[in-house]
Amino acid sequence: MELIDWLWILHPALAVVVIYPLMGMTVYLGRQTRHRRVDRARLPATVAHDHRHLGKWLATGMVIVVLVAITVSIVTKSFWSDPGQQLLRAASLLLVLAGTVVALLVLWRVQQRWQRILFALLTWAGVLGLGAQPEVWRVSDDPGTFAFWTSHYWTGMGLVALTLFSMAVSPETARRLAWRQVHMTAGVVAAILFLVQGISGSKDLLEIPLNWQKPAIYQCDFSARRCPGAEQAITPTTVLDPVG
């Protein structure tokens, strides 16, 4: 594997090592929080605080992992292979990336609800803006197709939106039942999207060849599922009879 290949597996590695364990712990603490509140279970009073705190880290981790994937796609497909790319575009993309990170950091600090929702939207808008670049593979941008709803890109964007929303309204869930119900609904949808992400991400890993394999792989006809020279490779070799 070359350096570019290691960069491409950075996103799935972070998802497996960081995101999914965080998601599991957040769900577990969320169930304990509900169990303590509804069933009056004898659980530590800190479970609700731990649930909210890990939820914030999950949202932050989701944004970072998605930004890593988008950045690697743009850099390796354009600026890596063609250093002569426009400096203005590179500067603007870097500015959007920095602005997205700053909005995420501010989201951790602000206290009022409208401020939290505003910076959550700004963070998501930054992620969407970077993801809209032509180097980022999205399978389909048509919501009327099945490919759109099973796309690793779009389900990932949905997860980023849901986790940022949950982070923004987290203080409200401790005060009002309506916000808790909305939060639970968002959590159920997020759990389904995490399942879709695990399946679509594994599928994508099978479809992405190593960098040195791409010149040969991309000569194949993906619609017909044929590659140049495949017929000769599977043609049985005639074995001569040593007697005759």
Side-chain angles (χ1 to χ4, degrees), residues 102-119:
V102 169
L104 179 62
L105 294 175
V106 174
L107 178 59
W108 273 80
R109 305 292 298 176
V110 293
Q111 300 296 327
Q112 297 186 29
R113 185 202 309 170
W114 71 267
Q115 293 175 331
R116 287 183 261 112
I117 293 176
L118 172 63
F119 282 99

Side-chain angles (χ1 to χ4, degrees), residues 23-154:
M23 185 268 292
M25 290 186 288
T26 304
V27 170
Y28 177 73
L29 288 173
R31 291 184 60 187
Q32 282 197 323
T33 301
R34 176 173 172 76
H35 192 38
R36 182 178 184 274
R37 179 183 296 117
V38 176
D39 302 327
R40 305 298 180 183
R42 294 183 178 180
L43 292 168
T46 57
V47 292
H49 173 269
D50 294 340
H51 171 63
R52 287 195 297 270
H53 189 66
L54 278 180
K56 293 172 70 174
W57 278 110
L58 176 61
T60 303
M62 279 296 304
V63 173
I64 292 174
V65 167
V66 171
L67 287 179
V68 166
I70 293 173
T71 302
V72 169
S73 295
I74 295 174
V75 169
T76 57
K77 289 183 179 180
S78 283
F79 298 96
W80 186 292
S81 57
D82 184 10
Q85 286 284 319
Q86 295 182 359
L87 291 178
L88 180 60
R89 180 174 183 244
S92 61
L93 291 176
L94 188 59
L95 186 62
V96 173
L97 177 61
T100 304
V101 174
V102 169
L104 179 62
L105 294 175
V106 174
L107 178 59
W108 273 80
R109 305 292 298 176
V110 293
Q111 300 296 327
Q112 297 186 29
R113 185 202 309 170
W114 71 267
Q115 293 175 331
R116 287 183 261 112
I117 293 176
L118 172 63
F119 282 99
L121 287 173
L122 288 175
T123 304
W124 193 48
V127 175
L128 281 175
L130 290 170
Q133 301 307 307
E135 294 88 353
V136 181
W137 175 246
R138 294 185 294 275
V139 181
S140 173
D141 291 333
D142 182 6
T145 62
F146 178 74
F148 175 88
W149 296 102
T150 56
S151 165
H152 189 72
Y153 171 84
W154 284 114

Side-chain angles (χ1 to χ4, degrees), residues 172-213:
E172 316 302 325
T173 60
R175 304 174 190 141
R176 296 184 58 186
L177 176 61
W179 281 109
R180 284 199 295 272
Q181 292 174 339
V182 172
H183 175 69
M184 287 180 59
T185 303
V188 171
V189 176
I192 296 173
L193 292 183
F194 267 115
L195 176 63
V196 176
Q197 281 289 90
I199 297 172
S200 60
S202 302
K203 178 182 70 68
D204 287 353
L205 284 176
L206 290 175
E207 295 178 346
I208 299 175
L210 295 175
N211 189 56
W212 64 269
Q213 297 172 337

